[in-house]
Amino acid sequence: MIDLHYWPTPNGHKITMFLEEAGLEYRIFPVDITKGEQFRPEFLAIAPNNRMPAIVDHAPADGGAPVSVFESGAILMYLAEKTGRFLPADLRGRAATLEWLFWQVGGLGPMAGQNHHFALYAPEKIPYAIDRYVKETNRLYGVLDRRLEGRAFVAGDDYTIADMASYPWIVPHKRQGQDLGDFPNLKRWFEAIKERPATVRAYEKGKPWERTLPIPEESRGILFGQTAANTKRE
């Protein structure tokens, strides 16, 4: 029913977490971003930003032609609305869930991503850049920790797409230079989600394609050297 174009990154894990929680039938099409598969014309047709994940829903709610969706936050919203799950129907619950979903896609993800890049992937270690993004990641962890004080989940008592969006970006906390012991509410929330059976299954799905550091030299230009002029199209 759902085709998932995927690679086991935090943004990819968000979608398998939802699909496993909802019990939707899906099949994975791996997109090896280290080999430039995100630039293939058939992938660009559904993901024009040449970033995974993307989905194709072959049984959309309106009964029409298949629907493709790119960008992880948009995919989570689409799937939540399709299934009527993990996005509250009441006004305040929905607003809280969406504001924290967008907090992740606009803040936690990009800042943690820059943290990873300058600390782990950059060929030249620039102390200012590393310090900048480690500190900003720390600030965002603090925001989430305060939000979770007195709440089981980000939007309240119920598990939602806001939690699914943020959790994968906390998984590599050690690589981000963060200690969960400094954030007790965040740590409690993190451990609870980690133990969910659907989370375990979602991360198992990615194991066949996991890569370890360091990134091969031939992959660096593909991952980090893209411009409008040199974008590879096979």
Side-chain angles (χ1 to χ4, degrees), residues 7-177:
W7 199 243
T9 68
N11 287 334
H13 292 312
K14 294 177 190 178
I15 311 307
T16 51
M17 286 174 68
F18 186 102
L19 293 167
E20 290 295 332
E21 288 281 354
L24 288 174
E25 181 181 352
Y26 70 102
R27 55 184 179 173
I28 289 177
F29 293 84
V31 180
D32 191 338
I33 60 176
T34 69
K35 295 181 179 178
E37 292 179 357
Q38 65 272 38
F39 300 112
R40 290 179 174 176
E42 60 268 29
F43 182 67
L44 288 171
I46 61 172
N49 193 37
N50 55 265
R51 295 288 188 274
M52 64 88 234
I55 65 166
V56 178
D57 181 2
H58 292 277
D62 65 2
V67 173
S68 63
V69 186
F70 73 102
E71 292 296 322
S72 60
I75 296 169
L76 288 174
M77 283 188 63
Y78 177 86
L79 293 173
E81 291 174 344
K82 173 183 175 69
T83 60
R85 300 186 65 187
F86 307 113
L87 178 60
D90 67 284
L91 175 67
R92 288 168 177 78
R94 180 181 175 87
T97 300
L98 293 181
E99 67 183 354
W100 285 96
L101 171 65
F102 283 97
W103 173 85
Q104 185 281 310
V105 298
L108 179 62
M111 295 301 102
Q114 293 299 319
N115 180 322
H116 294 168
H117 179 79
F118 285 105
L120 300 171
Y121 304 132
E124 178 186 355
K125 301 306 179 188
I126 304 171
Y128 175 82
I130 294 170
D131 184 63
R132 157 80 174 109
Y133 289 109
V134 168
K135 286 181 175 177
E136 178 60 8
T137 303
N138 184 270
R139 185 190 74 81
L140 292 166
Y141 274 45
V143 171
L144 189 53
D145 186 70
R146 290 190 297 275
R147 173 63 184 179
L148 288 164
E149 184 173 359
R151 294 182 176 86
F153 298 106
V154 174
D157 293 333
D158 297 322
Y159 185 56
T160 70
I161 56 175
D163 302 288
M164 296 178 201
S166 287
Y167 173 84
W169 284 101
I170 306 296
V171 170
H173 55 90
K174 292 181 181 178
R175 290 168 53 188
Q176 296 166 7

